[in-house]
Amino acid sequence: IERRVPIVAYITSYEDQHHIRLNDGQWVPDESRKSKTRYSIWWDDGELWWEAFLYLAERGVKSATLRSNASDLSAYANWLEANGVHWLSFPLRREDRCLDRYRGHLIDNSGGTSGMPTRRMNAVVNFYKWAKAKGVIEKRLKLWEDQQVAVTFFNSTGFQRTAGVWTTDLRISHRKANVTTVEGGLLPLTSEDRDTLLNYLKNNDSEQNQVLYAMFVIGFFVGARIGSIRTLRIENLKNATPDPHDEQIMLVAAGPGTGIETKYGVSGYLRFLSPVHKFILDFAETNITRLDRQAKASKENKSLVFLTKDGRPYSAEAINVALKSLRDALIRDGLTQFHDLKFHQSRATCGTELARIHMSVSDADAIEQVKDWLMHKDEKTTWTYIKFLKKTKAAAKANKIFTEQFLGPNFQLPGDES
């Protein structure tokens, strides 16, 4: 099925505020349930993609996942529009089918190590699975071949395991970059680069840099995720209690019931070193930029520590825009090591430094301490830090020996001139 060829599809969002409950025989708005941002995708000719709209409306997933799903389906719709292909175009020749052509497009335009093609193909396949289950697509139509693949993972004690999972032959393998990473597939910054970044933000004073400086301080020294930072409130800081085992650490309750978002809804405490806790509280209560933004905020948002220039809560998109501007400025000023800076690297840096310190005592102690500090759901994630440090330490030692023995006197390492 071919449609006339528009140029680009587009996505819109809206607040889903239809939560209601029965109260004394009457249906009233349910204020206890937080409204969720929903998404709709439109073709260039103004027609709503109803099937995608219903799919996204039914998705019972977290806001970040829903936003990612909508973005991936929107990218697919753009490709369909640009190529004049209908999303139900499944001719006899498989290589001419929309899904196989889109898979080829993703592979051809991939840098090879990016995980985006894998994620986008998975998102599109999941949409088609839903459409088939709902009867939108003829259930007897074979859209792909199912296949089983082996997945390698590490259990909570660090042992490697392999399990078989079912997938489709449309799957795009994600070839990871040939570097060792930690949580989220990111590299931590060195302590020198961490300090360079913080000093840059502090010395290049602007409203945006003041906010980013405070955010990165929490990321580097608390290890909080950006979702937790965006939802941090003044009352959370004021209700902090000293750690019973170390009075230099202030515990800020996070998770369900606190207002601070955590991944997987994990309950626990964000650990603030006392000077960091004092700095962030002072920022929230005395920083002129923040107070100006607070004055523009609605009543329910005034106590948020971080607000945009319009007095709104920071969205993930707003953070990404701010970081893009920061990366551009850093590169312009010669700090090219930050060309691919991600905020989550501040958390990775915090976890790596914690693990390095505690591993000097014992690996078991390091796992427990890092797991608690970063509020990991389980130890499998924590193990990535231990593996990273062990592997990089061993590699550094081996590389030094290799250089000395293989290159000989022709190429000397700095400091080895003697």
Side-chain angles (χ1 to χ4, degrees):
I1 304 174
E2 303 290 332
R3 64 164 64 240
R4 62 186 181 80
V5 186
I7 305 301
V8 177
Y10 57 96
I11 187 172
T12 60
S13 62
Y14 62 97
E15 288 295 320
D16 179 9
Q17 299 184 359
H18 299 295
H19 300 308
I20 57 175
R21 60 186 175 86
L22 191 62
N23 183 27
D24 293 332
Q26 293 187 337
W27 290 103
V28 297
D30 186 356
E31 303 295 342
S32 66
R33 297 183 62 188
K34 185 179 179 181
S35 61
K36 180 179 288 189
T37 301
R38 297 289 184 179
Y39 301 88
S40 53
I41 299 172
W42 303 77
W43 303 111
D44 185 65
D45 58 9
E47 179 185 351
L48 176 66
W49 189 2
W50 274 103
E51 294 82 3
F53 170 78
L54 293 173
Y55 170 70
L56 294 170
E58 287 187 11
R59 295 282 283 158
V61 294
K62 290 192 173 185
S63 296
T65 303
L66 187 63
R67 181 172 59 249
S68 176
N69 293 162
S71 174
D72 291 335
L73 283 178
S74 177
Y76 178 51
N78 277 323
W79 178 85
L80 291 170
E81 291 277 36
N83 290 275
V85 180
H86 195 279
W87 72 279
L88 292 177
S89 177
F90 290 98
L92 291 177
R93 278 169 46 96
R94 181 158 178 186
E95 56 266 35
D96 294 333
R97 296 182 177 186
C98 55
L99 286 178
D100 291 85
R101 289 179 60 184
Y102 184 58
R103 181 179 184 274
H105 161 77
L106 290 174
I107 293 174
D108 291 343
N109 290 274
S110 167
T113 58
S114 169
M116 183 176 289
T118 301
R119 191 196 72 215
R120 286 199 165 160
M121 198 70 238
N122 289 343
V124 171
V125 167
N126 286 336
F127 163 67
Y128 277 89
K129 286 180 178 178
W130 171 88
K132 209 170 186 183
K134 293 292 183 179
V136 177
I137 299 175
E138 171 56 53
K139 293 186 178 181
R140 290 174 297 178
L141 180 63
K142 205 168 186 64
L143 307 182
W144 50 70
E145 294 290 338
D146 292 317
Q147 58 183 209
Q148 193 173 37
V149 297
V151 175
T152 301
F153 63 96
F154 289 86
N155 64 15
S156 60
T157 56
F159 288 100
Q160 183 171 304
R161 294 288 183 266
T162 302
V165 297
W166 284 98
T167 182
T168 75
D169 61 352
L170 292 172
R171 173 178 174 266
I172 299 175
S173 297
H174 175 204
R175 190 184 82 237
K176 295 182 179 179
N178 60 335
V179 292
T180 304
T181 60
V182 293
E183 181 181 351
L186 296 173
L187 281 170
L189 301 183
T190 64
S191 56
E192 292 79 10
D193 281 345
R194 174 198 64 198
D195 294 341
T196 297
L197 177 59
L198 290 176
N199 286 331
Y200 180 90
L201 291 168
K202 194 172 184 179
N203 297 329
N204 291 271
D205 193 36
S206 68
E207 285 194 8
Q208 180 167 288
N209 283 353
Q210 289 175 29
V211 173
L212 286 175
Y213 177 78
M215 286 184 169
F216 269 111
V217 164
I218 299 177
F220 281 126
F221 302 114
V222 178
R225 290 184 171 88
I226 190 61
S228 298
I229 295 172
R230 291 191 293 109
T231 51
L232 179 67
R233 294 179 178 269
I234 294 177
E235 55 264 32
N236 297 127
L237 295 169
K238 288 187 172 181
N239 291 333
T241 57
D243 187 324
H245 305 293
D246 186 349
E247 62 182 13
Q248 291 301 311
I249 296 177
M250 301 298 292
L251 302 177
V252 175
T258 67
I260 299 178
E261 293 182 1
T262 58
K263 192 172 183 178
Y264 303 122
V266 173
S267 295
Y269 294 95
L270 298 176
R271 287 167 163 79
F272 282 73
L273 296 169
S274 292
V276 175
H277 178 266
K278 182 179 184 303
F279 168 75
I280 297 299
L281 188 56
D282 286 346
F283 169 84
E285 294 187 321
T286 65
N287 182 272
I288 298 300
T289 294
R290 192 209 161 270
L291 293 177
D292 286 344
R293 296 180 176 194
Q294 183 187 50
K296 301 174 186 176
S298 61
K299 183 178 179 180
E300 63 269 23
N301 292 329
K302 285 186 180 296
S303 67
L304 285 168
V305 174
F306 298 105
L307 294 162
T308 67
K309 62 182 180 180
D310 299 321
R312 298 177 182 274
Y314 267 94
S315 64
E317 290 84 356
I319 295 292
N320 289 336
V321 170
L323 284 176
K324 172 64 166 59
S325 298
L326 175 60
R327 286 193 295 269
D328 291 344
L330 288 164
I331 294 171
R332 182 194 64 218
D333 293 338
L335 298 173
T336 55
Q337 68 266 41
F338 300 111
H339 72 282
D340 196 31
L341 177 68
K342 303 289 193 302
F343 187 86
H344 204 72
Q345 285 179 280
S346 62
R347 174 177 168 85
T349 304
C350 177
T352 302
E353 292 304 313
L354 278 171
R356 191 192 312 278
I357 293 169
H358 287 288
M359 280 175 67
S360 64
V361 180
S362 74
D363 289 358
D365 179 66
I367 295 169
E368 191 64 28
Q369 293 292 335
V370 175
K371 179 177 182 291
D372 288 346
W373 192 289
L374 297 183
M375 294 178 64
H376 286 153
K377 184 179 180 182
D378 55 54
E379 294 176 348
K380 289 186 291 185
T381 306
T382 314
W383 262 102
T384 62
Y385 289 93
I386 310 302
K387 282 184 59 192
F388 173 83
L389 287 171
K390 285 189 171 185
K391 188 171 182 178
T392 52
K393 183 179 180 180
K397 183 178 180 180
N399 289 342
K400 187 175 188 299
I401 296 172
F402 171 81
T403 303
E404 291 172 345
Q405 295 185 357
F406 186 74
L407 298 182
N410 298 302
F411 295 91
Q412 291 182 325
L413 292 173
D416 288 351
E417 290 79 3
S418 58

